Amino acid sequence: MTSLIKVWELPGGIHPPEHKDQSLQLPLGRVPLPPVLVIPLNQHMGTPAQPVVQVGERVLAGQLIGAADGTFSANTHASTSGTVIAIEERAIPHPSGMNSESVVIEPDGKDEWIELTPCEDYRSLDRLTLLDKIRAAGVAGLGGAGFPTAVKLAPKSTQVIDTLILNGAECEPYITADDMLMQVRAAELVAGTLLLSHILHHPKNLLIGIEDNKPKAIAAVKAAVAGAAVTDPEAANIQVVVFPTKYPSGGAKQLTQILTGREIPSGHHSADIGVICVNVGTAVAAWRAVRFGEPLVSRVTTMVGDALATQRNVDVLLGTPISYLLTQHGFNANNASRVVMGGPMMGFTLLDLAAPVIKTTNCILAPSKQELPEPTPAQACIRCGICAEVCPASLLPQQLFWYAQAEDFDRLESHNLFDCIECGACSYVCPSTIPLVQYYRAAKGSIRLHEIEKEKSDRSRQRFEFRQERIAKEEAEKEAKRVARQKAAEEAKKKLAEKAAETAAAPVSSADPISAAAVKVSATQATPDEQKAKLERLVAAAKNTLEFQQKPLVPNKTNPVISEEQLVKQQVRIKQAELKLAEAEQKLADFITGLGTTPAAAASAAAAPIAAEPAVDMNDPVAAAIARAQAKLTMSPEDKARANLESLRGRLAKAEEKVAAAKADGSANLDALQQGAEKLQQKIAEALAELSALGIEDKPAPVAAPATEPAAPEPVSAEQSAAQAAIEKAKAKAAALANMSDDEKRAEQIQSLQTRLTKARERLAKAEAENDANIEAFRAGVTKLEEKLQELA
Amino acid sequence: MIEFVFQNPILSALLALGGLSAAFGAVLGFAAVKFKVEGDPIVDQIDALLPQTQCGQCGHPGCRPYAQAIAGGEDINKCPPGGQATINALADLLDVEAPSLDAEHGEHLDVKRVAFIREDECIGCTKCIQACPMDAILGAAKQMHTVIADECTGCDLCVEPCPVDCIDMIPVETDLKTWKWDLPATNQNPVFHVVANEVNLIASDLGRGHAFGDQHDGNKAA
Amino acid sequence: MALLNITSPHTHGANRTGRLMRLVVYATIPGIVALTHFFGIGVLINVLLASLSCIAFEALVMKLRARPIMFYLRDCSALVTGVLIGVSLPPYCPWWLVISASFVAIVLAKQLYGGMGFNPFNPAMVAYVLLLISFPVQMTQWATPLPMLADGQTAPSLVAALDKIFFSIPIDGYSSATVLDVMKQNSGLTLDDLYQQQPVFVEGRWAGAGWEWVNIAFLLGGIYLLYKKVFTWHAPISMLLALVVMSALFYDSGSSNSGGSPTYHLLSGATMLGAFFIVTDPVSSAVSTRGRIVYGALIGVLIYVIRAWGTSYPDGVGFAVLLMNFAAPFIDYYTTPRTYGHKKPRRATDASTQDGGH
């Protein structure tokens, strides 16, 4: 039990004034219940816990309020009984001063506990059960990092643990929380050590490492070990190792080195070299979790600093606001230079004193202005090298500083920046008072962000390339189809030619579109069975739709009430479905009757009208298409426009007839039909305009493209063109913006907004006319644009 | 023969030089083959430096095309999302002077942004989906769309096509995960010391700037 | 109470740059006293003149650079440079020599490189070497040390010294060859003979009249600085050791070819001044402890090489230090320490993401 182990020398290190006596004068104290407890859900390293209580719910002490989210997370419990009054973002102790989701509990003062399940003999339990108990209790490293303890205690099967280290070094000045804990809970610490040893399959070395400036704690722990050894032979194995005080011997890496002489390889865990290092407070918490089933709801915290009237250690409930704690200890805000969570070497300043005590709060340091004055201005680095001498990780701090200043991340990494433990020894000794640690933290943060960004940009590249590939593939498919169609067309053309030669003397003048049309037809007609099947499917689908629409409207969750409007809409849809069904049936019937003639006959029929132009058999769609194409090809633009106009007029007449019919029926489709008629009228107007333009300006009229090129539409991907259009626009905009003054820019913006507004209004009008379902959205768009415009104007 | 060579100094000199050059040539040739560096083609290297927003502000449809254009001799200052950092990195790679960003292609925004669709207002037109170079917008026709914020590069290309203007570019806020310490205060960026005198600093004075807070010995900038 | 977001650590050791520099100045006092004792008032005038002009130049440059003057003067680095120039230059040298040296050191060698902490070369040595090359006559005229003065002759009075310095009024018999000159020009005499024949050795005990005491005085100052932990022992001790090793190797049993005994080398010329006040200049030296050992040792070797085999300059401290200033980054590159958790040191250019451990 006495220290037989060799104590290794820590390279570097410093001896700052200890200031440990002032908080050890009083016994471990308690504070009254605070008026409110703020329990953050991420008090540990890893994913925040998920809240499992509701606002207004009454919770008991020890009740689970935040459930661990995954393995790298920890449970969070209510520290006392009371009511959850909020689950919201609250200030947390974090160097950023940011808020985080917290459960706010108003204590009822009764401190009623949930029923705990104690365990008399943990040795009878499975190790996994024990780990589960520790996990359920939300135990996380109380030393400062807040690493979930259950994760730490479950090393990989390849990692053989031969040494368990209990870290009672507490090397930071001012902090005495672990010292006090070892003094008053030494027995529990020894029991916890044995428990952890049991979980870790009884490692050979059980070491409790304590710096030699804590004689009382050393005596207490040694006595407890001796006491436990009476009943438990394994306790005799525990060695209390006392080693010289030196900062930062309490770092897990450094303590491992001091007690075992082994270094944890860079980028690895201590378990990789067979060592598990646990803070003494954590061991006690784990013991209480197993023995009493007690979740981690309180911890020992040192209240220290000359700005406090009372300096001592307190056993404080997690979630107690620090401001409350400070008030309880007579905090003199006027004389305080800052409030630090943690020690003077590694702690961080609190930006909001409303932040609560959390699992990792080992010390609240409220120094006076004389005690820790503001840092003096930094001078130039004189490369004195004292920082390199005190660095416990044997880094070259002045080189790291140099490269951090220059943001040379490659060099920083090759100087092992990430092996820096941010102990602050270098800053402490720096004669030029350079805030070195801040440089390293900033650089580490930047490197991490850069890595995240790099990863993201790589992913973006992949996604973009994948998209490009996909688009290319789609295009290739379209192209292949087009080629296939062309081939088929050529074959058909050949056949046509043959047939024509057979049937008529007149040679076929086969312009491309015609043959293409023929091919299209032949492509579709080549397999009448398929076509028939398709039509049948169409009918079936139409029937389905009809049935679906005919289903009575049932009130559901999203739509509890069926409105009049909905009923009307449904009827309209039923009507449409009926129409479609009728149409589909008609088509099928037509097709079946038309099937009598063979495809070849159809083709020959198609060939015939080409030879004899005017005689077009309108019943044969093939021939009709070819004829139309032929006709269009031969027509002058004017003729075309005229023809277009004619056809439009025809369609209008038909549409108007339909409208009239609908009116007579009182059909629900009336609106739609009227809309169609209006559109046709518009088109006619357009066509007229075109015609007149042709007449007056003698300009080549725009060709009605879809009609003239039935076979080969440009295989341009809609997506790509949209994207390109957007790019073009953006380009143009950027170019224009660059050349403009602010006023012009604004004018330009107004201009563009106005055009957008007009567009939006048009769309809205259209939507209104069509009774579009999205009408509201359009309206909102218009209003927004108007607002924007007003803002600018 | 050898004697003849020795007797003709010019000839021997020629022979010696010729021999030497042949020998060195052989060594160099061997080295070139043996120690050949299989470097990335330059386009890949340039592409790796570009921010991959695929925003097209450079005038090319994506980052890779711009990388190809740069490899073909185009200016390296046309990437606003990358900003000066990217330009410097490119200049470093290509060993040229780093120009400043060409304002013609837009301005560099310090804050990263992502697109956000106000989902109540989305009409499901799919126009933004077609415009998104990242496939980072999810949705179908007549269905509400949403942006996968993690995949969005903030390229802006979806904003213009939206018929109902329901896409906003919102700045990405720092959270506890992305928060980091800033570099210590300097005169350019005073964090906790008030700068009393306005002093022109050069790079070497970074980190010392806040000294001036307590200096009043009349060193106004000349 | 303002809640300041101050980075850790919140506490700070007592070390300050200004304090370190002041300690260095204090540590030169024994050396200056010894020099003044042996060479007269001229040494003090040199030190005073150099210090004042260095501070003036520093203030001037700070003014030109629009920097807070007092903030920069408080670090006392200019004062250190001035004192070092003062003790390096020959006593009673012309005033303009001192002023030029100060100008070269502060303006050219220090501020043009970016000021304190950025100068690659030791400013005082740059000044010394530049002037030595430019004005070899003035720079090598050392005053006769006290024990060698003719009977009845005393060190020059203040008035005579000022006359000499500012008005070039010569002082009779004021200069003589230094020990190093004597040793360098020796050919044919064994060391024993030399020690018996040359008055400079006759008057001295180990390494020449006056000089040995001056070196011992600087050694005392150096030990004080070591005790005060202003610098570590690595660079100065390794330099001295290297010098001893070199002189022992080439001692040649004191023959006429001998370069001098180790004692002679340790206690003559600027050895101790160099070891404890020049080599330890942190700004221009190597950074790691291993690096400083190498740096110091190489300076020691170079000093011996220049002293023994150099052609025209008797002492080599200045040249040796400057040459190794050049090499400091190179030394740094090869002497990076092994970081905790790594198997071997990592080179500064090693960008691979090695984890060192496995």
Side-chain angles (χ1 to χ4, degrees):
Chain A
M1 65 162 270
T2 42
S3 173
L4 300 168
I5 197 161
K6 182 187 174 198
V7 174
W8 300 69
E9 170 77 15
L10 173 75
I14 52 174
H15 296 96
E18 288 169 14
H19 294 289
K20 297 225 182 205
D21 290 339
Q22 58 216 70
S23 56
L24 285 171
Q25 302 305 315
L26 294 171
L28 181 63
R30 279 190 167 275
V31 284
L33 217 49
V36 70
L37 286 171
V38 181
I39 304 177
L41 291 168
N42 62 341
Q43 304 180 27
H44 47 268
M45 190 186 269
T47 334
Q50 291 297 321
V52 292
V53 287
Q54 307 266 314
V55 175
E57 200 175 320
R58 179 161 193 273
V59 291
L60 297 176
Q63 185 181 333
L64 184 71
I65 53 173
D69 186 10
T71 321
F72 267 93
S73 186
N75 283 344
T76 308
H77 302 83
S79 310
T80 186
S81 60
T83 317
V84 177
I85 53 170
I87 299 176
E88 60 187 15
E89 302 258 309
R90 286 290 186 105
I92 56 160
H94 189 270
S96 67
M98 283 184 182
N99 296 349
S100 175
E101 195 174 31
S102 311
V103 177
V104 187
I105 296 174
E106 190 177 35
D108 55 14
K110 294 177 195 153
D111 199 31
E112 282 178 66
W113 275 76
I114 50 157
E115 208 172 299
L116 303 175
T117 45
C119 163
E120 294 288 340
D121 179 19
Y122 63 81
R123 280 168 214 260
S124 63
L125 290 179
D126 187 11
R127 289 191 168 87
L128 287 179
T129 321
L130 292 174
L131 281 180
D132 275 344
K133 276 176 179 284
I134 292 171
R135 185 176 292 121
V139 181
L142 300 182
F147 194 85
T149 306
V151 179
K152 195 183 244 183
L153 293 178
K156 281 181 238 150
S157 56
T158 50
Q159 299 164 332
V160 182
I161 306 302
D162 64 7
T163 305
L164 170 67
I165 296 176
L166 273 290
N167 186 348
E170 200 163 52
C171 55
E172 272 228 33
Y174 288 98
I175 309 180
T176 54
D178 288 347
D179 190 353
M180 183 55 86
L181 180 110
M182 286 188 283
Q183 289 180 32
V184 299
R185 294 185 188 158
E188 288 184 45
L189 169 63
V190 173
T193 310
L194 293 172
L195 165 74
L196 299 186
S197 155
H198 175 67
I199 293 175
L200 294 169
H201 300 270
H202 305 284
K204 198 171 77 207
N205 303 314
L206 300 176
L207 311 175
I208 302 181
I210 310 176
E211 276 189 349
D212 61 6
N213 61 355
K214 303 176 187 63
K216 280 187 187 168
I218 295 165
V221 174
K222 278 188 174 169
V225 171
V230 176
T231 53
D232 190 338
E234 202 195 347
N237 249 346
I238 300 177
Q239 298 182 56
V240 179
V241 189
V242 180
F243 52 89
T245 302
K246 192 185 204 181
Y247 179 84
S249 57
K253 287 178 172 185
Q254 279 63 41
L255 188 60
T256 307
Q257 191 180 16
I258 290 170
L259 298 185
T260 67
R262 293 178 228 171
E263 290 181 15
I264 302 168
S266 176
H268 290 257
H269 295 293
S270 68
D272 289 327
I273 54 165
V275 177
I276 296 276
C277 185
V278 179
N279 175 265
V280 287
T282 317
V284 171
W287 164 249
R288 295 190 72 86
V290 171
R291 174 65 186 80
F292 306 108
E294 195 182 288
L296 180 58
V297 294
S298 68
R299 69 156 296 144
V300 177
T301 297
T302 308
M303 298 298 297
V304 70
D306 284 353
L308 296 177
T310 322
Q311 301 184 34
R312 60 168 178 173
N313 281 288
V314 284
D315 192 1
V316 61
L317 293 180
L318 301 183
T320 307
I322 286 167
S323 52
Y324 176 80
L325 213 47
L326 288 170
T327 320
Q328 291 291 317
H329 289 83
F331 177 53
N332 178 5
N334 292 327
N335 191 30
S337 68
R338 63 197 107 176
V339 175
V340 177
M341 186 182 121
M345 296 303 296
M346 291 184 77
F348 53 86
T349 46
L350 290 167
L351 298 179
D352 188 346
L353 295 182
V357 169
I358 59 170
K359 289 174 186 174
T360 55
T361 310
N362 49 5
C363 178
I364 304 291
L365 172 60
S368 67
K369 281 173 184 152
Q370 297 76 39
E371 207 175 358
L372 295 185
E374 273 188 39
T376 47
Q379 287 167 285
C381 170
I382 55 167
R383 293 161 42 100
C384 65
I386 305 176
C387 47
E389 279 159 42
V390 301
C391 181
S394 306
L395 296 163
L396 288 176
Q398 76 275 52
Q399 299 295 94
L400 288 174
F401 158 66
W402 187 260
Y403 293 123
Q405 217 179 14
E407 302 196 310
D408 186 341
F409 298 138
D410 291 343
R411 282 291 159 88
L412 282 170
E413 286 195 61
S414 61
H415 277 87
N416 300 323
L417 173 67
F418 281 90
D419 289 303
C420 168
I421 58 166
E422 300 175 17
C423 67
C426 49
S427 297
Y428 180 82
V429 297
C430 178
S432 295
T433 59
I434 301 169
L436 292 164
V437 176
Q438 193 176 347
Y439 279 99
Y440 309 150
R441 285 181 174 150
K444 282 181 181 178
S446 298
I447 291 175
R448 278 197 204 102
L449 287 184
H450 267 259
E451 270 164 15
I452 293 171
E453 260 172 42
K454 181 91 188 75
E455 205 178 291
K456 189 180 170 183
S457 92
D458 283 346
R459 210 169 56 224
S460 299
R461 183 184 301 116
Q462 273 175 12
R463 284 180 80 89
F464 181 66
E465 278 165 9
F466 180 76
R467 190 185 126 97
Q468 299 286 86
E469 249 169 54
R470 194 193 70 218
I471 291 170
K473 215 163 101 186
E474 276 169 11
E475 264 177 44
E477 270 166 20
K478 276 185 195 159
E479 176 69 18
K481 270 186 197 161
R482 197 183 66 83
V483 170
R485 278 199 302 268
Q486 213 166 25
K487 232 184 209 168
E490 268 160 25
E491 268 169 34
K493 207 163 68 183
K494 238 187 245 164
K495 272 185 195 161
L496 274 175
E498 279 167 22
K499 291 282 170 192
E502 276 171 31
T503 49
V508 182
S509 64
S510 56
D512 257 354
I514 301 164
S515 59
V519 173
K520 198 178 170 191
V521 171
S522 70
T524 44
Q525 278 202 334
T527 52
D529 285 345
E530 268 179 27
Q531 211 177 0
K532 190 183 162 195
K534 194 177 152 197
L535 283 169
E536 276 167 354
R537 276 202 303 277
L538 210 64
V539 173
K543 271 185 186 154
N544 273 344
T545 323
L546 184 58
E547 271 166 32
F548 177 73
Q549 298 293 0
Q550 277 168 339
K551 265 190 215 156
L553 282 177
V554 187
N556 58 13
K557 230 181 183 176
T558 49
N559 256 356
V561 186
I562 300 167
S563 64
E564 186 90 346
E565 195 190 349
Q566 276 175 312
L567 276 174
V568 174
K569 265 189 191 163
Q570 195 198 12
Q571 271 164 1
V572 173
R573 281 195 221 112
I574 292 173
K575 197 89 191 166
Q576 277 174 347
E578 275 172 359
L579 279 174
K580 265 194 186 156
L581 178 60
E583 202 185 331
E585 274 171 351
Q586 181 62 38
K587 268 188 193 163
L588 185 60
D590 285 355
F591 183 74
I592 290 167
T593 47
L595 261 186
T597 49
T598 59
S604 69
I610 298 166
E613 238 179 281
V616 176
D617 182 357
M618 295 304 278
N619 284 332
D620 192 328
V622 185
I626 294 173
R628 275 203 302 273
Q630 181 86 355
K632 280 200 176 130
L633 196 72
T634 50
M635 269 189 266
S636 72
E638 199 181 333
D639 285 342
K640 260 184 215 162
R642 278 220 174 91
N644 193 9
L645 188 58
E646 281 313 308
S647 89
L648 280 172
R649 278 195 179 132
R651 277 163 72 190
L652 178 59
K654 263 191 219 162
E656 270 165 358
E657 263 169 42
K658 272 189 195 160
V659 170
K663 259 184 194 161
D665 295 357
S667 161
N669 289 352
L670 183 60
D671 276 350
L673 286 170
Q674 270 175 342
Q675 186 67 38
E678 273 166 33
K679 260 194 207 155
L680 277 170
Q681 274 169 343
Q682 269 179 20
K683 274 194 185 164
I684 289 172
E686 275 168 28
L688 276 172
E690 199 181 294
L691 200 57
S692 61
L694 272 172
I696 296 161
E697 294 174 16
D698 197 23
K699 250 177 22 189
V703 179
T708 47
E709 296 166 345
E714 271 294 300
V716 173
S717 142
E719 288 178 29
Q720 187 145 20
S721 61
Q724 264 163 1
I727 290 172
E728 286 301 323
K729 268 190 204 166
K731 248 198 295 189
K733 217 166 76 178
L737 275 176
N739 298 329
M740 272 188 265
S741 71
D742 279 355
D743 276 357
E744 279 172 323
K745 267 184 196 167
R746 221 181 56 176
E748 175 68 14
Q749 268 176 322
I750 292 174
Q751 179 94 29
S752 95
L753 272 177
Q754 272 168 345
T755 45
R756 272 164 80 184
L757 183 57
T758 350
K759 258 198 244 166
R761 277 193 182 133
E762 269 168 31
R763 275 196 295 250
L764 178 60
K766 206 165 114 191
E768 270 169 358
E770 288 172 3
N771 211 356
D772 196 303
N774 298 325
I775 199 161
E776 277 310 310
F778 281 124
R779 218 168 259 157
V782 170
T783 359
K784 230 180 302 146
L785 277 171
E786 280 170 351
E787 275 167 18
K788 270 194 196 168
L789 198 55
Q790 266 173 357
E791 265 173 42
L792 272 172
Chain B
M1 168 76 191
I2 290 174
E3 274 173 34
F4 177 72
V5 169
F6 278 125
Q7 279 159 9
N8 290 279
I10 292 179
L11 190 62
S12 58
L14 279 177
L15 273 176
L17 285 175
L20 279 174
S21 56
F24 284 128
V27 169
L28 286 175
F30 173 76
V33 175
K34 176 84 181 173
F35 304 111
K36 190 174 178 185
V37 181
E38 289 290 349
D40 290 355
I42 193 73
V43 173
D44 281 348
Q45 288 179 34
I46 296 171
D47 195 31
L49 293 177
L50 293 173
Q52 304 302 327
T53 46
Q54 320 291 358
C55 63
Q57 289 182 71
C58 52
H60 297 273
C63 292
R64 196 168 177 86
Y66 182 42
Q68 278 156 350
I70 289 176
E74 194 161 310
D75 287 344
I76 59 173
N77 60 351
K78 295 183 175 179
C79 180
Q84 198 61 40
T86 299
I87 293 172
N88 292 345
L90 287 171
D92 203 29
L93 173 70
L94 302 172
D95 204 13
V96 294
E97 192 108 332
S100 59
L101 183 66
D102 187 352
E104 200 180 290
H105 295 271
E107 283 166 25
H108 175 67
L109 297 168
D110 285 331
V111 188
K112 285 183 72 84
R113 303 187 307 164
V114 288
F116 173 76
I117 296 180
R118 285 192 302 277
E119 298 177 345
D120 305 344
E121 295 163 31
C122 172
I123 57 166
C125 67
T126 75
K127 286 206 168 83
C128 54
I129 297 182
Q130 290 161 28
C132 179
M134 251 36 272
D135 279 344
I137 303 181
L138 219 58
K142 301 279 178 194
Q143 306 289 322
M144 173 267 281
H145 305 339
T146 195
V147 177
I148 312 170
D150 279 350
E151 304 296 346
C152 176
T153 60
C155 69
D156 242 16
L157 292 180
C158 54
V159 175
E160 185 71 19
C162 180
V164 290
D165 248 334
C166 73
I167 304 181
D168 288 327
M169 297 306 293
I170 54 171
V172 183
E173 280 185 24
T174 331
D175 58 15
L176 284 172
K177 272 190 192 147
T178 52
W179 178 84
K180 71 171 198 69
W181 283 91
D182 287 322
L183 282 176
T186 63
N187 231 24
Q188 282 83 4
N189 176 27
V191 177
F192 53 81
H193 283 276
V194 182
V195 179
N197 299 358
E198 288 213 2
V199 180
N200 293 323
L201 288 176
I202 58 170
S204 62
D205 285 278
L206 288 176
R208 271 171 283 163
H210 44 273
F212 308 134
D214 49 7
Q215 293 294 321
H216 299 286
D217 46 6
N219 291 288
K220 294 275 179 206
Chain C
M1 183 195 116
L3 290 162
L4 302 171
N5 190 11
I6 302 170
T7 190
S8 67
H10 303 281
T11 175
H12 199 280
N15 235 0
R16 292 292 181 279
T17 305
R19 173 180 164 267
L20 295 184
M21 295 292 175
R22 277 193 297 277
L23 284 177
V24 173
V25 173
Y26 301 153
T28 54
I29 290 175
I32 295 173
V33 169
L35 277 172
T36 316
H37 173 72
F38 288 108
F39 298 101
I41 195 82
V43 176
L44 274 184
I45 297 173
N46 262 2
V47 169
L48 223 74
L49 200 57
S51 304
L52 288 177
S53 55
C54 275
I55 291 173
F57 278 124
E58 177 103 341
L60 183 73
V61 175
M62 282 306 157
K63 178 91 184 159
L64 287 176
R65 286 174 65 188
R67 296 297 184 285
I69 294 171
M70 281 318 290
F71 178 76
Y72 285 97
L73 288 188
R74 232 179 276 154
D75 66 26
C76 293
S77 58
L79 180 64
V80 170
T81 306
V83 171
L84 293 180
I85 289 174
V87 296
S88 325
L89 295 184
Y92 313 105
C93 66
W95 63 272
W96 50 264
L97 209 59
V98 182
I99 306 290
S100 321
S102 303
F103 175 81
V104 170
I106 296 296
V107 179
L108 297 188
K110 183 176 167 192
Q111 294 294 349
L112 282 190
Y113 283 100
M116 174 75 160
F118 296 90
N119 45 304
F121 305 107
N122 184 308
M125 286 304 104
V126 171
Y128 177 79
V129 165
L130 195 79
L131 291 185
L132 184 59
I133 296 168
S134 311
F135 308 103
V137 177
Q138 288 90 334
M139 285 296 285
T140 46
Q141 281 182 343
W142 267 84
T144 315
L146 189 64
M148 283 171 63
L149 289 178
D151 289 337
Q153 199 180 2
T154 55
S157 69
L158 181 63
V159 178
L162 291 176
D163 278 349
K164 167 75 182 70
I165 289 168
F166 290 98
F167 306 107
S168 309
I169 298 167
I171 308 168
D172 287 335
Y174 100 99
S175 80
S176 70
T178 66
V179 202
L180 291 167
D181 292 327
V182 173
M183 181 67 78
K184 183 159 234 105
Q185 276 139 26
N186 171 45
S187 57
L189 288 177
T190 64
L191 283 189
D192 284 341
D193 293 342
L194 196 70
Y195 270 57
Q196 278 160 17
Q197 287 178 15
Q198 285 288 339
V200 73
F201 285 115
V202 174
E203 297 292 329
R205 191 170 303 221
W206 306 286
W211 286 104
E212 51 197 30
W213 289 108
V214 168
N215 271 289
I216 288 168
F218 278 120
L219 173 65
L220 284 178
I223 290 169
Y224 170 72
L225 290 180
L226 272 179
Y227 166 72
K228 282 282 179 185
K229 292 187 175 162
V230 170
F231 47 72
T232 57
W233 57 268
H234 303 87
I237 301 300
S238 78
M239 177 202 133
L240 294 179
L241 275 181
L243 192 58
V244 168
V245 167
M246 284 300 284
S247 49
L249 276 179
F250 297 97
Y251 182 55
D252 201 15
S253 325
S255 76
S256 59
N257 288 328
S258 172
S261 70
T263 325
Y264 157 78
H265 275 286
L266 282 182
L267 295 179
S268 63
T271 305
M272 289 300 168
L273 176 71
F276 291 99
F277 295 89
I278 308 292
V279 172
T280 53
D281 169 29
V283 179
S284 51
S285 80
V287 288
S288 65
T289 35
R290 277 206 302 153
R292 285 186 176 168
I293 290 177
V294 175
Y295 173 78
L298 290 174
I299 289 178
V301 171
L302 271 181
I303 289 174
Y304 185 84
V305 167
I306 296 170
R307 279 185 182 175
W309 303 304
T311 47
S312 50
Y313 300 109
D315 204 355
V317 175
F319 291 101
V321 167
L322 287 186
L323 281 172
M324 290 327 289
N325 285 168
F326 271 115
F330 179 75
I331 295 170
D332 283 342
Y333 181 84
Y334 285 102
T335 52
T336 41
R338 181 190 67 87
T339 308
Y340 178 100
H342 290 257
K343 281 198 165 159
K344 56 177 198 285
R346 192 172 172 182
R347 296 285 165 251
T349 47
D350 178 8
S352 67
T353 50
Q354 66 166 28
D355 58 18
H358 283 219

